[in-house]
Amino acid sequence: MYKTFSLLFLLLFTMQLMAQQKDGKRPGRSMSSPAIINVAMKADNWDIAPNVAELITWHSVPALKGLGGKGSAVLKDVDFSDGTIEYDMEPVENGFATIFFRQASAEERECFYFRTYVAGNSAAIDAIQYAPYLGSVNMWDMMPYYQGNAGFQREKWNHVKLVIAGKQMWVYVNDMSRPALKVPRLEGSTEHGSIAFEGKGAIFSNLVIKPGQTEGLSPLEGPDPTDNDPRYLREWKISQPLATKDVDFSNTFMPGKDAAWEDIWAERRGLVNLTRKFGPSRERRIVWLKTNIHVDKDQSRKMNLGFSDEVWVFINGKYLYVDKNLYGQPLSKFPDGRCSIENTSFNVPLKEGDNELLIGLANSFFGWGLVARLDEY
């Protein structure tokens, strides 16, 4: 009896072992712990267009140096979703040192980069930046809250770690005990894709990828600090874009009585993201947004408005405010010509009952959108 039981046990164990081997499993090794990928900086591993990057030896280490040409150096045969990406970076010229991840194409991808001209200045608020690419548009100017300071230097390797889980990312720079940047919501449209580098004069090495290793970071998006703030105007109606070419403004641009309107809701932090809806502005375009403000008595209210790039504001059919926020020009608004609730403010006269707020918004540069907030509601 004992011998029969032993033979039966051995037979069942053998069958289980064969099933594990067929499934690609090994006894004693959990398939929930994927292998670590150490990426060699050699030509077989990279797809590099001319003048984009070159493979070199730097500080006796194989490395990839960005040359600044159009495009990026794309890692072959890796489809990354969640996990950890670590690498070393040294800036040798002023510019940007960029890594792309979850890259479906040059039009749709996630992006993190250093502004290398602030190397050595650990107090610079714009040292590092996260931004999604939507329809080929780098949304850096629409989401200034996804930047921060970081301590990094020239003439030495700087160690970088990206921990990516679902909708969140934490970024570490040199100090692995404290994130330099926490991104509570990755804003791109992709969930997986390739990894790539670019940046003139930036040198990258020691790339290590740990698929699935997210260090306990939740895949759920973090809180929106404006979620419980009723002052933000979130519910709008929007017209179709109209090409305006070189004409600054004309009354013929105004929406007619038969204009078609669609509903659009503000995204995170109250942003009405027109790039996500309409794609890149390859020529100057204007669109109209309108919403209703209801009050129980006549009053004047202060409105904070963030916008990119030009606005014409009407209340109950009357001109109220006109302004421009043009990056790199004297008319740029704080902070640095980006769309922010800090861009501008003005008073809005409201009559008892319903009031129609109508805003024309023109764009021809990077991201397109607005965010509006009343002083109380």
Side-chain angles (χ1 to χ4, degrees):
M1 179 69 179
Y2 175 78
K3 184 179 294 184
T4 303
F5 177 79
S6 298
L7 289 172
L8 180 61
F9 177 80
L10 180 60
L11 177 62
L12 290 173
F13 178 79
T14 303
M15 291 174 65
Q16 183 182 23
L17 178 61
M18 292 174 64
Q20 287 176 335
Q21 291 174 338
K22 183 178 180 180
D23 291 340
K25 299 179 181 178
R26 296 181 181 177
R29 178 182 175 189
S30 171
M31 294 304 289
S32 62
S33 300
I36 294 173
I37 304 171
N38 292 280
V39 180
M41 293 298 182
K42 60 181 183 179
D44 291 346
N45 289 334
W46 297 90
D47 185 4
I48 305 174
N51 302 316
V52 167
E54 63 179 347
L55 295 164
I56 63 172
T57 299
W58 192 256
H59 302 314
S60 303
V61 176
L64 178 77
K65 180 180 181 180
L67 300 177
K70 186 176 181 181
S72 55
V74 182
L75 180 61
K76 295 179 181 179
D77 302 324
V78 170
D79 186 18
F80 179 84
S81 177
D82 291 351
T84 300
I85 304 171
E86 295 192 57
Y87 60 96
D88 291 330
M89 183 277 298
E90 181 177 339
V92 295
E93 295 184 39
N94 288 338
F96 302 90
T98 302
I99 183 172
F100 299 104
F101 59 97
R102 293 182 178 173
Q103 176 173 273
S105 65
E107 288 72 39
E108 301 292 335
R109 54 189 175 173
E110 303 280 20
C111 171
F112 169 76
Y113 59 89
F114 289 81
R115 292 181 172 91
T116 60
Y117 48 82
V118 300
N121 180 3
S122 61
I125 190 61
D126 60 350
I128 54 177
Q129 172 91 49
Y130 157 72
Y133 272 61
L134 301 177
S136 76
V137 180
N138 181 341
M139 296 293 286
W140 69 275
D141 59 334
M142 302 304 297
M143 302 173 182
Y145 34 83
Y146 290 144
Q147 67 175 19
N149 64 311
F152 69 101
Q153 306 291 330
R154 295 186 184 277
E155 299 181 2
K156 62 171 288 187
W157 288 122
N158 298 276
H159 191 64
V160 186
K161 180 171 75 171
L162 280 60
V163 181
I164 300 158
K167 284 295 184 182
Q168 293 202 63
M169 176 173 71
W170 286 13
V171 179
Y172 299 79
V173 179
N174 289 322
D175 182 356
M176 297 296 111
S177 67
R178 177 182 176 274
L181 182 67
K182 294 182 179 180
V183 180
R185 175 182 166 83
L186 292 168
E187 302 278 2
S189 61
T190 62
E191 296 181 353
H192 64 93
S194 60
I195 293 171
F197 289 105
E198 73 175 35
K200 184 178 181 180
I203 301 176
F204 307 94
S205 190
N206 299 319
L207 174 61
V208 179
I209 304 168
K210 302 175 184 178
Q213 299 189 33
T214 58
E215 301 188 359
L217 180 62
S218 172
L220 304 178
E221 69 176 81
D224 177 351
T226 74
D227 263 348
N228 299 318
D229 192 337
R231 298 174 300 165
Y232 283 81
L233 303 182
R234 304 179 191 273
E235 186 176 357
W236 297 82
K237 291 187 179 297
I238 190 168
S239 69
Q240 286 296 308
L242 173 69
T244 63
K245 297 185 179 179
D246 297 328
V247 179
D248 187 27
F249 186 76
S250 166
N251 285 335
T252 61
F253 298 159
M254 297 286 292
K257 293 182 179 180
D258 58 347
W261 297 91
E262 292 182 64
D263 293 332
I264 187 170
W265 282 80
E267 298 182 2
R268 190 180 181 89
R269 291 180 178 258
L271 174 65
V272 182
N273 190 338
L274 301 186
T275 301
R276 197 185 299 278
K277 182 169 182 61
F278 295 122
S281 293
R282 306 193 187 284
E283 59 182 342
R284 187 172 179 270
R285 298 183 294 174
I286 186 171
V287 74
W288 291 93
L289 298 107
K290 67 178 181 179
T291 192
N292 180 66
I293 301 174
H294 183 87
V295 293
D296 57 7
K297 62 180 179 180
D298 291 356
Q299 57 191 275
S300 178
R301 300 275 285 282
K302 178 182 176 182
M303 174 176 285
N304 284 83
L305 184 69
F307 62 96
S308 180
D309 298 317
E310 305 167 67
V311 290
W312 298 264
V313 182
F314 299 79
I315 188 70
N316 297 322
K318 297 181 180 179
Y319 253 121
L320 178 63
Y321 185 82
V322 179
D323 210 344
K324 298 177 185 288
N325 184 19
L326 305 176
Y327 173 76
Q329 298 188 31
L331 290 174
S332 67
K333 303 292 185 185
F334 177 85
D336 198 26
R338 301 173 171 203
C339 177
S340 166
I341 198 66
E342 301 174 277
N343 286 162
T344 191
S345 64
F346 48 88
N347 291 326
V348 183
L350 301 172
K351 60 180 179 63
E352 180 182 350
D354 291 331
N355 297 263
E356 183 185 75
L357 177 69
L358 178 68
I359 300 179
L361 183 65
N363 173 263
S364 58
F365 177 82
F366 281 90
W368 190 8
L370 66 76
V371 54
R373 186 187 69 195
L374 294 172
D375 58 348
E376 58 179 290
Y377 202 81

